[in-house]
Amino acid sequence: MWNWNNNLSLEMNINKNLVDNFRKYAKISGTLFIILGAVGIIFPTFMSFTTLAFVAYLMLFAGISAGWLTWISNKNDWAGWLKSFVLIVVSLFMIFYPMQGIAALGLLFAIYFFTDAFAGFGLAFSLKPQKIWWMWLVNAVTSLILGFIFLIGWPFSSLFMVGLLVGISLLFDGVALLSGGMFLDTAAKDDKTEKDDTNETEA
């Protein structure tokens, strides 16, 4: 772990443990995201059904878990039973009616893109004036544009657009993560060189 680094912002210097963990996993995650994004762009329909299956079974697991927790904690908790019921019904709807499920999922992903854009803008401006801030800005603008494009074609283009837009978003997220990891590696190397030079001067 490095000491105060002039290449990093105030927030990044304060949260050194978070930065170290990010630096450790950013390049691996970025590479995986780039691969998944490329698959989604080349095979958008496959990515649409894959995304639908992942979300549906995740919701099914969450619904069963919520029901089990309600059963063992408070059987009279109607809100817990309602949550479990809704999650299970929606997940089964997506599994047995995949076309309608993809259309519904498409609307959710449009909301996701707008949320991702909002978070991306916040992160970009928090990193400014670091060299990589514009990468997160491009990522945020891309998510915003994708959200608008998706709404224009919804629901008829959901089968194609869900996989394509998820792939594009994953690709840009992967590039941003990979760039962030490389930037932090450079900052760590510069910091180590600076400390070595300081030690040699003191010696």
Side-chain angles (χ1 to χ4, degrees), residues 68-125:
W68 179 73
L69 288 174
T70 303
W71 173 265
I72 64 174
S73 60
N74 184 7
K75 296 183 180 64
N76 297 321
D77 182 12
W78 64 270
W81 289 117
L82 178 62
K83 177 181 178 181
S84 176
F85 175 78
V86 170
L87 286 171
I88 292 175
V89 169
V90 172
S91 65
L92 292 177
F93 173 81
M94 289 183 173
I95 293 172
F96 290 106
Y97 299 95
M99 296 301 296
Q100 293 87 340
I102 289 177
L105 187 61
L107 185 60
L108 292 177
F109 270 100
I111 297 172
Y112 156 76
F113 284 125
F114 288 118
T115 304
D116 185 56
F118 177 78
F121 280 119
L123 181 58
F125 289 113

Side-chain angles (χ1 to χ4, degrees), residues 4-151:
W4 186 271
N5 193 313
N6 293 326
N7 294 324
L8 303 177
S9 64
L10 175 63
E11 295 86 355
M12 296 173 72
N13 273 291
I14 292 175
N15 298 294
K16 293 177 181 178
N17 289 329
L18 180 62
V19 171
D20 284 338
N21 289 330
F22 179 83
R23 182 168 66 91
K24 182 178 180 181
Y25 298 109
K27 290 190 291 184
I28 298 174
S29 301
T31 302
L32 291 176
F33 275 35
I34 290 173
I35 294 173
L36 290 174
V39 171
I41 293 172
I42 298 172
F43 306 104
T45 303
F46 171 77
M47 180 61 78
S48 294
F49 282 105
T50 301
T51 304
L52 176 70
F54 175 78
V55 173
Y57 283 103
L58 185 64
M59 291 179 65
L60 181 62
F61 175 76
I64 294 174
S65 299
W68 179 73
L69 288 174
T70 303
W71 173 265
I72 64 174
S73 60
N74 184 7
K75 296 183 180 64
N76 297 321
D77 182 12
W78 64 270
W81 289 117
L82 178 62
K83 177 181 178 181
S84 176
F85 175 78
V86 170
L87 286 171
I88 292 175
V89 169
V90 172
S91 65
L92 292 177
F93 173 81
M94 289 183 173
I95 293 172
F96 290 106
Y97 299 95
M99 296 301 296
Q100 293 87 340
I102 289 177
L105 187 61
L107 185 60
L108 292 177
F109 270 100
I111 297 172
Y112 156 76
F113 284 125
F114 288 118
T115 304
D116 185 56
F118 177 78
F121 280 119
L123 181 58
F125 289 113
S126 69
L127 290 173
K128 193 177 180 180
Q130 305 302 326
K131 295 179 180 179
I132 62 167
W133 80 275
W134 64 271
M135 290 293 300
W136 288 101
L137 181 63
V138 171
N139 180 56
V141 172
T142 302
S143 294
L144 186 63
I145 294 174
L146 290 176
F148 279 115
I149 292 176
F150 194 93
L151 286 180

Side-chain angles (χ1 to χ4, degrees), residues 37-38 40-41 113 139 142 146 163-173:
I41 293 172
F113 284 125
N139 180 56
T142 302
L146 290 176
L164 179 63
L165 297 183
V166 169
I168 294 173
S169 180
L170 287 173
L171 180 65
F172 275 89
D173 284 341

